[in-house]
Amino acid sequence: MKQKGVFSRLSTYMLRHKLLYTVLLFTTLFGIVLDLTIAWLLSVITDAAVRLDVKAFKGLVIFGLIYLLVSAINGFIDRYLKNKISAKIRNELRLDMMRHALALPQSYFDRNHSGDLLSRFTNDNQSVGNATGEVMIDLIRNPLLALAAFGYLLYINWLLALICFAMGPLMFLTGKIFGSAMRENSVKIQTNMSKITSFLHDILGSSMVFKSFSIERKLMKQYQEHSENITSEELKRGRIEGATGSFSSFLGNFTFLLALVVAGYFVAKGSLEVGAMIAFIQLMNYLVMPFSALPGLINSMQQSLGAAGRIFEVLDSPVEVEALPEAATKQPEFERMVMSSVSFSYPGAERHSLNKISLELHKGAQMAIVGPSGGGKSTLFKVLLGLYEPDEGEVFINNEKTSEMSLAKLRSHFSYVPQDSGLYTGSIRDNIRNGNPDADEQEILEALRQANAYDFVMELPEGLDTDIGEEGSRLSGGQRQRLSIARAILRNSPILLLDEATAALDNESEKLVQQAIRKLMGDKTTLVIAHRLSTIQNADVILVMENSEIVESGTHEELLAAEGRYHDLYYSQLEEEEAGEGEQESLEFASTGVPSLLK
């Protein structure tokens, strides 16, 4: 997005606060008057001292005290309003980004790293907020202060004023020359910051992995490379800022010294009073300082516009819904779901993830999907939930095409239990209530009982109000999964989707979770991705998926009798489990001298 386009977009947020900006403009202009007043006051005091006019100092002291009070009040209001505007615009951008991010399709999150999105929510947002407050007002104030000082200098001595003002165009040209380089550099820094944020997001959330694999040195090396890339760009920014600052300082100091020599010469000749020279020196500061600061302000604005552009990239990404859906509290009726020749491939993929998938699921039926990893099982769930649209074929629920349903209506048919539980930082109560925001205390407790989670929750010091940590990190895997099941119980949708809900659990936790799942399934229509084939023997129909296709279907007995792919998978897994039990018994005998069967 071009710079003008970015600023135009940003101005729509600024225009929402016209009244605050109007008051801020008044305090800015009044502050300029106060700055010029101090120059006048220095002139009057100096002339009074030269004339030895002691009586004049009483009035000057009173005026000075009033000046200090008024200046302090104006300064407070000015600073407060700048911060208020920045905070409000930051908040509006955060809310707009969050609202938009929640409406983005699953494909966006699959393509973009969450750390990069996090960087736009934080670092870029902070930079834009600074621009709309402090930087923007200073870009207005500094030229106005310079013009006002120039006018006063003209009143004192027109030749001195022209000498001082000659530096203005040179300063502006300096900012223009270095501004584009600064913006390009700022975008690179922000991009590298996004990369390192993404890297940290991955690493700091997987401490057990890097410790168990002893890859700390490798990660440190990768982090060092990211950090050095940022350092390289920051050093480049330092060179740009150094060149800008030194050139601006040279011009400012040269002009100041030249004007000072000329002013001293006029005083020596008697054509300029000492008080006027003192006022001139102060006014020179008001003229040189704004021009000297101008390149830096332009650079800051360039950096902020780069950050705003990254934010607007997110806001311009297509959403899957225009308005965020309301949580379903009244569940729909369900009779039948049909997938008819559904094919799907991820953007950019060379092969289908689903290829001509057809199935039929009736109310109360239990269907299991098995097969090797990468066969398309989880993708099937994503299509059912409307996270992706099929490339070919249709999905029907109660003879209505899901493609013609609102996403809220479509998803209200499903309760989803993912493999990784999908809990959020916060209390147990908040996480379970995500299943039904209107649930009361008794409904929450009943859901916990059905999910075999009531006892362990009540044993926690704060019970339902216990903070579970990042993604439930303060709980065991089995506890997290049982809370996920309690959430699904509270949602009470007619179709239950179970995505290998016990795959990562130990035997004891798996038993508790399986008991909870059986209660959850009850008379519900269930579609389950199964990891352990022994858990789905009673399913009404079992689908075997391989290479994105359904290669077999039938009951457990029918598939075993067919001696096909399911037969091979089942007995291969059975042999692995028996081998594992044999190893466990050997370990127990070695440690106790007593076979486990005799215990």
Side-chain angles (χ1 to χ4, degrees):
M1 186 180 292
K2 293 183 179 180
Q3 180 177 339
K4 289 183 179 179
V6 172
F7 184 78
S8 177
R9 291 278 296 276
L10 189 57
S11 65
T12 60
Y13 287 87
M14 298 167 62
L15 288 172
R16 298 174 188 175
H17 307 286
K18 294 188 292 290
L19 179 60
L20 288 177
Y21 274 113
T22 301
V23 178
L24 189 54
L25 182 60
F26 173 79
T27 62
T28 299
L29 293 174
F30 190 62
I32 291 173
V33 172
L34 290 173
D35 287 338
L36 298 183
T37 300
I38 198 68
W40 170 82
L41 187 59
L42 286 171
S43 173
V44 172
I45 291 174
T46 302
D47 287 340
V50 171
R51 295 193 308 268
L52 303 178
D53 186 2
V54 177
K55 294 181 179 180
F57 277 87
K58 181 179 179 181
L60 291 172
V61 169
I62 295 173
F63 181 86
L65 291 174
I66 295 172
Y67 171 86
L68 290 174
L69 179 62
V70 172
S71 179
I73 294 172
N74 188 73
F76 170 79
I77 296 172
D78 183 80
R79 174 61 59 182
Y80 173 74
L81 289 178
K82 287 178 182 176
N83 287 333
K84 185 173 183 178
I85 288 172
S86 294
K88 281 182 170 292
I89 291 178
R90 284 194 194 103
N91 182 56
E92 289 165 1
L93 280 170
R94 279 196 300 266
L95 294 178
D96 284 353
M97 279 191 72
M98 190 61 183
R99 189 177 296 108
H100 196 86
L102 291 172
L104 288 170
Q106 183 63 35
S107 57
Y108 180 91
F109 297 100
D110 290 341
R111 290 193 315 268
N112 297 277
H113 198 290
S114 58
D116 176 67
L117 195 58
L118 181 63
S119 178
R120 300 181 194 224
F121 267 100
T122 53
N123 299 333
D124 294 339
N125 180 276
Q126 186 72 20
S127 179
V128 173
N130 292 339
T132 56
E134 187 79 28
V135 177
M136 179 63 66
I137 295 303
D138 282 351
L139 280 171
I140 296 172
R141 181 184 186 277
N142 284 12
L144 290 177
L145 177 59
L147 285 173
F150 176 66
Y152 199 164
L153 283 170
L154 282 175
Y155 171 75
I156 294 174
N157 187 292
W158 66 270
L159 181 59
L160 292 175
L162 290 177
I163 292 174
C164 295
F165 199 72
M167 66 174 290
L170 293 174
M171 287 291 187
F172 180 79
L173 186 61
T174 300
K176 194 73 174 175
I177 292 172
F178 291 103
S180 58
M182 177 59 73
R183 186 182 186 193
E184 182 181 345
N185 172 257
S186 297
V187 170
K188 289 182 179 179
I189 290 176
Q190 289 158 348
T191 300
N192 285 327
M193 285 298 295
S194 294
K195 290 180 180 179
I196 202 170
T197 302
S198 301
F199 181 80
L200 286 171
H201 184 268
D202 289 343
I203 299 309
L204 299 181
S206 60
S207 57
M208 289 185 65
V209 174
F210 70 70
K211 288 180 181 295
S212 61
F213 282 92
S214 299
I215 55 174
E216 291 91 342
R217 287 182 177 273
K218 176 185 176 182
L219 297 177
M220 183 62 209
K221 185 178 180 181
Q222 291 176 333
Y223 183 77
Q224 183 177 353
E225 291 175 358
H226 286 301
S227 182
E228 287 175 352
N229 287 337
I230 293 173
T231 301
S232 175
E233 293 299 330
E234 287 178 335
L235 291 175
K236 185 177 179 180
R237 180 173 66 184
R239 291 192 294 271
I240 297 172
E241 289 180 347
T244 306
S246 62
F247 191 63
S248 300
S249 178
F250 172 80
L251 289 176
N253 290 331
F254 175 77
T255 306
F256 183 81
L257 289 173
L258 177 61
L260 192 60
V261 169
V262 174
Y265 176 75
F266 286 160
V267 170
K269 282 183 62 177
S271 59
L272 188 69
E273 294 181 354
V274 176
M277 180 179 176
I278 297 298
F280 163 77
I281 293 173
Q282 184 65 28
L283 291 169
M284 275 289 296
N285 289 328
Y286 295 148
L287 189 62
V288 173
M289 179 187 64
F291 281 127
S292 299
L294 191 60
L297 290 171
I298 292 174
N299 291 343
S300 296
M301 180 56 72
Q302 296 278 10
Q303 180 178 348
S304 298
L305 290 176
R310 283 166 46 81
I311 290 174
F312 293 139
E313 281 179 7
V314 177
L315 293 177
D316 289 340
S317 298
V319 294
E320 64 177 9
V321 290
E322 293 301 323
L324 297 181
E326 295 286 343
T329 54
K330 183 179 180 181
Q331 302 307 332
E333 296 294 326
F334 172 75
E335 294 298 330
R336 187 178 70 148
M337 181 179 72
V338 176
M339 295 188 77
S340 176
S341 298
V342 169
S343 295
F344 169 77
S345 58
Y346 289 99
E350 296 180 355
R351 56 182 291 270
H352 285 302
S353 295
L354 297 177
N355 188 26
K356 302 296 183 182
I357 300 297
S358 295
L359 59 85
E360 188 169 346
L361 187 63
H362 291 270
K363 181 178 180 179
Q366 296 180 0
M367 177 181 288
I369 306 173
V370 302
S373 297
K377 302 186 297 296
S378 294
T379 302
L380 178 63
F381 275 18
K382 290 180 180 180
V383 170
L384 287 176
L385 287 167
L387 301 176
Y388 286 97
E389 294 183 1
D391 298 328
E392 299 175 13
E394 291 285 353
V395 181
F396 299 86
I397 294 180
N398 298 337
N399 297 320
E400 182 181 357
K401 290 181 181 180
T402 59
S403 59
E404 297 176 355
M405 293 183 184
S406 68
L407 286 174
K409 180 179 178 181
L410 167 61
R411 292 169 185 169
S412 69
H413 287 87
F414 300 100
S415 289
Y416 176 52
V417 180
Q419 183 176 341
D420 58 359
S421 74
L423 301 178
Y424 299 113
T425 302
S427 69
I428 291 175
R429 184 196 311 277
D430 289 340
N431 272 278
I432 297 175
R433 192 173 271 161
N434 284 336
N436 180 2
D438 296 333
D440 59 29
E441 193 83 358
Q442 290 306 312
E443 289 173 320
I444 293 173
L445 294 176
E446 183 56 31
L448 286 173
R449 290 189 182 94
Q450 291 183 43
N452 282 346
Y454 179 84
D455 290 339
F456 91 77
V457 170
M458 291 301 106
E459 289 173 0
L460 295 171
E462 297 179 68
L464 284 170
D465 295 316
T466 300
D467 191 321
I468 63 174
E470 182 181 357
E471 297 179 354
S473 59
R474 297 176 184 173
L475 304 175
S476 70
Q479 289 172 333
R480 290 196 296 270
Q481 202 61 294
R482 279 178 276 165
L483 292 183
S484 176
I485 292 169
R487 179 180 60 194
I489 290 172
L490 211 55
R491 181 166 173 82
N492 195 32
S493 293
I495 307 174
L496 178 62
L497 301 180
L498 299 171
D499 188 357
E500 296 189 312
T502 63
L505 304 181
D506 56 65
N507 289 336
E508 186 63 31
S509 295
E510 183 183 5
K511 289 177 183 176
L512 291 170
V513 172
Q514 284 291 355
Q515 290 173 9
I517 288 175
R518 282 193 287 272
K519 294 177 184 177
L520 173 59
M521 291 168 65
D523 58 354
K524 288 187 180 298
T525 308
T526 306
L527 192 58
V528 53
I529 295 175
H531 173 70
R532 291 184 173 90
L533 304 187
S534 58
T535 63
I536 47 94
Q537 295 179 17
N538 295 324
D540 296 307
V541 61
I542 300 171
L543 306 179
V544 182
M545 287 193 71
E546 196 168 70
N547 296 324
S548 309
E549 298 178 343
I550 297 175
V551 296
E552 288 182 331
S553 65
T555 64
H556 174 70
E557 291 77 13
E558 290 171 347
L559 292 173
L560 286 182
E563 297 187 354
R565 192 71 182 96
Y566 180 82
H567 178 278
D568 295 340
L569 288 170
Y570 181 79
Y571 282 105
S572 174
Q573 191 174 101
L574 194 62
E575 288 175 5
E576 290 177 4
E577 292 175 357
E578 289 175 349
E581 290 175 1
E583 290 177 5
Q584 181 64 30
E585 288 183 1
S586 298
L587 289 171
E588 290 177 355
F589 181 80
S591 61
T592 64
V594 181
S596 61
L597 293 175
L598 300 178
K599 290 183 180 180

